[in-house]
Each structure stands twice: as C-alpha cells, then as structure tokens.
Amino acid sequence: MVGMPNTGKSTLFNRLTGAHAKVGNWPGLTVDLLSAKLIVGDQLVQLIDLPGIYDLNGHSEDERVVTTFLAQNQVDLVLVVLNASQIDRQTLLLAELIRLGLPLVLVLNMVDEAAALGIVIDAAGLSSALGFPICLLSAKYGQGVEQLHPAMRRALRERGETHGAKDAPATLDQRQLEAAVKSSVFVPAQASHALTEKIDRILLDPWLGLPIFFGVMFLLFELVFVLGKPIQDAMTWGFSAFRSGALEPAFAGLPSALRGLLLDGVYNGLSTVASFVPMIVMFFLCMGIVEDAGYLSRAAFLMDALMARFGLDGRSFVMVLMGFGCNVPALMGTRVIRSRGLRLLTMLVIPLSLCSARLQVFVFFIAALFSARAAPLVLFSLYVISILSAMLTSLLFKRRYVNDDAFVLEMPPYRFPTLRQMLLRGWQEVRHFIRRATRFIVAGVVLVWLLTNFPLGATAGGVDTWAGQIGTLLNPVLSPLGIDPKLTIALIFGFVAKEIVIGSLAVIYGQEGGALTNAIAHQIDWIQAYSFMLFTLIYTPCLSTIATLRAEAKNRAFTVLAIAWPLGLAWVVSFLFYQVARRLLS
Ligand SMILES: Nc1nc2c(ncn2[C@@H]2O[C@H](COP(=O)(O)OP(=O)(O)OP(=O)(O)O)[C@@H](O)[C@H]2O)c(=O)[nH]1
Ligand SMILES: [Mg+2]
C-alpha cells in the first residue's frame, strides 16, 4: 500500500487484515513497514502498510523506507491509496507509481468526506481512461470495501497472464493523467470543510489558540486523574482482599522465604503496577481522541513560531506530545523530519517528555503526599516542567544541531474518532503494557526482592542487605536531593523501565496498596517526594528508549550525550528545588 501521508492506508490495512496498525489524523504516523497475511481468492498474499510519502524522490528516513522497499522486493501489486477529496493534488505520486510499471489498483479512500464536499467521481470512466481498476471506498466506515477483493484478485491474475509485458498505463504521462482526472472528477467550486474552518477560526486564533490548547491539555489530565483514581483505588482494594482472603491461606504451608518471594515480591510488585492499567489506558484513549480528531496538527501550527526560537519546529513539539504516551514511538516518529540536525535535536528532547510509565510513579506519590485538591495541579506542574526542560535542552544544543529545512504543515480536516478505533487503541495499549510487564516487571521485582532480602541473615529491607549497601554507597550523591536509600534502589531499577519503580517500592517496603502509600507518607515529606518526582521525570530514560535512540541516531557520541545530559540535569534541578524548598518552607 503506497500513498500520501494521512490518506487512510493504515485504516484500510487494519480493516483488510484485522491487524493493529496505529492510525491517527496526523500525516506521518506510520514510519516503518508493517506486514500482515491476507487471503485473496485462492492466494495467500502479504500486504505491506508503508509510511506515507509525497513523492518517490524524497530523502527523509520514512520515505527511504518506501523507496528501499520498492527497490528490494518483488512487488506483485501496488495498492495506491489516495484521498478521494484531493485527487487533483495527489496525481504527481500516482504518475510516478505508474511509471514504475507495476500492476496497480487505485483506491480512492474517504468517499464519505468527498461526498460531503459534493465531489462526484466517475470511477468507471476514470478506470477505463487510465487502464487499471479503481475502487471508491471508505476505509473508516467500511462502505465499498467489498469491491477491493475482486479487484485485487483480478489484478493478481492478469499479472500472471501478461507476465513481463508493460501495459499501456506505464506510458501515461502526467498531463494525460491530469486530463483524465479532470474529465471524470467533478469538484464543486466551493469544496471546503465548512465545519473545520469554523472550528479553526477559534482554535487557531492568534490570541485564543494557545490558551485553549493548554486548557484542553489541562482538562485532559484532570479527567484522566478524576476518572481513573476511583477505579484504581477499587483495584488496589480488590488486590489486597485477594491476597489476604485467598493467597495467604493458600501459601501458608510454603517455606517462609518462598512465600515471601511469591507474596511480597511477585504479587505485591505486579498487583501494585497492574492497578495503574485503567488509568494508563484512559490516558491513551484521551490522547488518541485528541490525535484522531486532528488537533495535533493544530498544536504543531500554534507552537511552531515559539518552537523556532528554540531551534525546533511544530513537528518536534508534536513528537514531544506523543512522547507523553511513550517515548519510543515518538523517537521513531522523528523519521519524517528531513533535517538531520533538527531530527537529532528533537530526539534529544523527547526523552524528557513525561511518559505514561512515569505518570504511574507520579500518581502514586501525589496520592500519598498531596491533598486531593492539590493533586491535579501538582501533576500538571510536572508536565509543564517536562516541557520546560525540553526547551532548556534545545536552547543549549540548538547551535550544535542546526535545523536546515523549512517545514510545510498539512492541516487535515477534523474527524470524529469511531468507537471501533478507540477500542482498538485501548486494547493495543493493554497489550503493550502486558508485554512490557512480562519482560521487565516480573524479573525486576524478583531481583529487587533478592537484593532487599539477602545476604542470609540480614533484616529484610534493612541497611545490611545488598540493596541497603548500594543505597548507602550512593547516599552521598542523592541525599542532597532528599532521596533516601530506599528510594535510591527504586531509581536504579527505573533505569530499566519506569514501570518497575512502584513495584519495587512495594517490594522494598514489603507492603502493597493503601499500606504502601501510608508507609511512604510516614517516611518522607512532600518536599522529598517532589524532588524524587523531578529526578524521576528528567533522569535517564528507560532501556527501550535508549536502545531506540541508538538505533535511530546511529551515532555513539549522540547516544552518550542523550544519556548523560538528562542525568546531570535531573540532579541539578532536584538539588536546586530541594535545597531552596527546605530552606524556605521548613
Ligand atoms: N472520514 C474518513 N476518515 C478516514 C477514512 N480512512 C481513514 N480515515 C482517517 O484518516 C486519518 C488517517 O488515517 P491513517 O490510516 O492513519 O492514514 P495513513 O495513510 O496510514 O497515514 P500515514 O501513516 O501518516 O501515512 C485517521 O484519522 C483516520 O481515522 C475514511 O474512509 N473516511
Ligand atoms: Mg499509516
């Protein structure tokens, strides 16, 4: 599947194959190829969802993914996906693809929008003028998708018959193509998205735009918190009840060390982390709605001028926003940026975005040490600091990584997310979480349990355990930040994945649920907690992020910088906050 960005390729791909490619109303969402199997007639075919491209000669990383793929693979059929309401603007790419001489099926997607704009397309006429099949359909709502299978089947069969011979279409030139489109596509004089324009008059207003944007973001985080917290509390209660009601009696006969490992290690760690799943899923759903509605492009537009002062652009800002979900896809999303300098600078700031794994840690500490009224504000302040530290970083490094490319922003119309898309999205996040949980968290909590219970004879969680010794060793570095040895151990594990932090605290304190919250509230005050949160926010991102940084940047010095700089910055920020707050407030 080849086509311009944001034409609905991934949506169609998901509909045809039942796969879970990420979909969003933002050009350049897919940056890597994704393949899935599909039965067409009596053949098993492999369908590839490619990143969107503007033309075949582009040289950004995501466009190279497409050209390399086309050059290195024996392609049997190209599904060209165009936006039915913008055919006139997309013929350039179509002409280039025709010139490749491969069998084509043309998909004109988003007929629902085209119809609403009053655009009428004579598919049969266009098809006979161009010499290849054309399907008018709507990938999102499903209308017309059923024509695609027979069309693909026929095209694949004919390819077998006319093997090697180039068909007439390969000789079509750009002018003939445009003429054919002109005679079969009727576009009314005023084909504009009236509602989108109306909304944009307010949302893109030079004065109102930014305050509205930050207001929307604030409401979004507040909503996640207000709705998510009760669900999380209920889950925490349920996990505790299950432990005391079912697990403790069941494990009563086991040797005490094994029982400790299973209950205080694996169960406490996992259940504490699992209770955050509803909030994380809710967070992704809200971000998904913002993204799928098309507001991200507006955010990019609104922030572009401001970001330019920091050596970044509107797209970098959107990547930082996407990083609020998870830093890894945001880092990969920078592939759409052509300028190497801008791309590296953006990759340097993305790990500072407050990802959902860090959100868990903060929600936990905020609930333990701040009042319910202060909670959303405290959380929002951390998001603001996340963006401020990104800006500080780019200010300091913008001369080293210079942006040498102007960027043209496409502003898609607003679109309603469908329930189907939202559910798919929520499910993907749960799956992602479970995958990470099995990979890191179980191993992490077991390791923490070992460190906090051995060598033999040491009191669990005490200073003479291995964990205690490590904590004491690092104490001189971290105690000026108000971070005690127990929190230090959690931070060390946070290097691997931030999801482990709370799970390991559960193990270190030997408590879970409400008891853990109380234990922590008794041992540290809010100044220490905030300092710890600042450090967690800024310091070195998780291992997956570092691995992605290395793979995307392909530069060792840059990777080292991307690890060392946030670590140093985290120390300085927490140090300043802690020392000043201690002197002023106590
Ligand atoms: N109205 C309407 N919207 C659609 C249709 N198909 C897809 N969309 C929306 O268009 C937007 C882009 O869809 P994607 O499937 O992510 O587009 P893509 O071509 O994969 O985009 P890139 O990966 O960036 O190249 C999303 O908001 C979809 O919900 C359709 O048939 N009608
Ligand atoms: Mg896509």
Side-chain angles (χ1 to χ4, degrees), residues 50-69:
L50 291 167
I53 51 170
Y54 290 101
D55 63 78
L56 286 178
N57 308 311
H59 50 270
S60 66
E61 201 67 32
D62 61 330
E63 286 168 319
R64 209 163 341 191
V65 169
V66 179
T67 43
T68 314
F69 177 84

Side-chain angles (χ1 to χ4, degrees), residues 5-11 21-24 26 28-32 49-52:
N6 214 31
T7 49
K9 295 176 296 300
S10 300
T11 309
K22 212 169 159 199
V23 165
W26 163 256
L29 200 69
T30 309
V31 287
D32 209 347
D49 179 26
L50 291 167

Side-chain angles (χ1 to χ4, degrees), residues 326-405:
C326 176
N327 294 174
V328 171
L331 284 170
M332 295 182 66
T334 60
R335 287 183 185 179
V336 299
I337 298 175
R338 290 174 192 220
S339 154
R340 169 90 179 154
L342 178 61
R343 189 168 176 222
L344 288 180
L345 191 61
T346 307
M347 286 206 277
L348 193 61
V349 302
I350 285 173
L352 296 165
S353 356
L354 194 168
C355 68
S356 64
R358 279 170 261 192
L359 176 67
Q360 268 176 52
V361 180
F362 301 156
V363 167
F364 180 85
F365 274 86
I366 290 173
L369 287 139
F370 293 87
S371 70
R373 278 193 53 189
L377 271 179
V378 175
L379 185 60
F380 194 64
S381 76
L382 289 164
Y383 279 100
V384 172
I385 290 168
S386 161
I387 292 188
L388 288 182
S389 49
M391 289 186 165
L392 173 72
T393 302
S394 49
L395 260 190
L396 287 174
F397 291 96
K398 72 173 182 187
R399 258 169 265 291
R400 190 147 161 212
Y401 301 109
V402 178
N403 177 12
D404 51 16
D405 186 32

Side-chain angles (χ1 to χ4, degrees), residues 253-269:
L254 295 178
S256 75
L258 183 59
R259 200 174 58 223
L261 172 64
L262 289 177
L263 287 178
D264 298 332
V266 178
Y267 187 75
N268 275 7

Side-chain angles (χ1 to χ4, degrees), residues 173-443:
D173 77 5
Q174 172 79 14
R175 231 167 348 143
Q176 278 168 293
L177 181 60
E178 276 169 15
V181 167
K182 201 165 253 167
S183 64
S184 337
V185 180
F186 167 76
V187 183
Q190 271 198 326
S192 61
H193 295 271
L195 185 63
T196 292
E197 281 172 15
K198 243 183 239 158
I199 298 175
D200 273 347
R201 227 166 288 149
I202 301 167
L203 294 188
L204 295 184
D205 182 275
W207 292 102
L208 294 177
L210 275 180
I212 292 179
F213 172 72
F214 283 106
V216 167
M217 283 302 168
F218 177 74
L219 282 181
L220 193 149
F221 297 127
E222 171 120 5
L223 188 77
V224 170
F225 203 82
V226 169
L227 291 182
K229 197 74 186 57
I231 305 181
Q232 189 201 342
D233 289 344
M235 286 189 64
T236 307
W237 181 87
F239 282 127
S240 291
F242 184 66
R243 176 181 165 142
S244 54
L247 291 182
E248 276 172 8
F251 292 169
L254 295 178
S256 75
L258 183 59
R259 200 174 58 223
L261 172 64
L262 289 177
L263 287 178
D264 298 332
V266 178
Y267 187 75
N268 275 7
L270 273 186
S271 63
T272 306
V273 177
S275 64
F276 284 91
V277 174
M279 195 176 289
I280 301 304
V281 171
M282 196 123 57
F283 174 81
F284 275 101
L285 280 182
C286 287
M287 286 291 278
I289 291 172
V290 169
E291 182 184 303
D292 216 35
Y295 197 35
L296 285 187
S297 302
R298 274 75 189 178
F301 172 81
L302 289 168
M303 294 296 286
D304 191 57
L306 181 62
M307 296 316 279
R309 294 200 199 159
F310 296 91
L312 298 168
D313 71 14
R315 244 171 338 183
S316 321
F317 179 74
V318 168
M319 293 307 150
V320 169
L321 275 188
M322 282 190 180
F324 284 173
C326 176
N327 294 174
V328 171
L331 284 170
M332 295 182 66
T334 60
R335 287 183 185 179
V336 299
I337 298 175
R338 290 174 192 220
S339 154
R340 169 90 179 154
L342 178 61
R343 189 168 176 222
L344 288 180
L345 191 61
T346 307
M347 286 206 277
L348 193 61
V349 302
I350 285 173
L352 296 165
S353 356
L354 194 168
C355 68
S356 64
R358 279 170 261 192
L359 176 67
Q360 268 176 52
V361 180
F362 301 156
V363 167
F364 180 85
F365 274 86
I366 290 173
L369 287 139
F370 293 87
S371 70
R373 278 193 53 189
L377 271 179
V378 175
L379 185 60
F380 194 64
S381 76
L382 289 164
Y383 279 100
V384 172
I385 290 168
S386 161
I387 292 188
L388 288 182
S389 49
M391 289 186 165
L392 173 72
T393 302
S394 49
L395 260 190
L396 287 174
F397 291 96
K398 72 173 182 187
R399 258 169 265 291
R400 190 147 161 212
Y401 301 109
V402 178
N403 177 12
D404 51 16
D405 186 32
F407 123 82
V408 181
L409 182 66
E410 200 176 313
M411 203 70 75
Y414 289 107
R415 298 190 166 114
F416 281 107
T418 58
L419 187 66
R420 179 191 153 97
Q421 284 174 331
M422 290 296 104
L423 289 180
L424 210 76
R425 180 91 168 216
W427 169 237
Q428 264 167 344
E429 295 311 332
V430 175
R431 256 192 1 175
H432 176 78
F433 179 85
I434 293 174
R435 214 174 309 140
R436 273 180 74 92
T438 45
R439 197 188 308 164
F440 294 123
I441 300 170
V442 176

Side-chain angles (χ1 to χ4, degrees), residues 442-457:
V442 176
V445 292
V446 169
L447 199 57
V448 176
W449 185 84
L450 290 175
L451 287 179
T452 49
N453 281 275
F454 284 84
L456 277 175

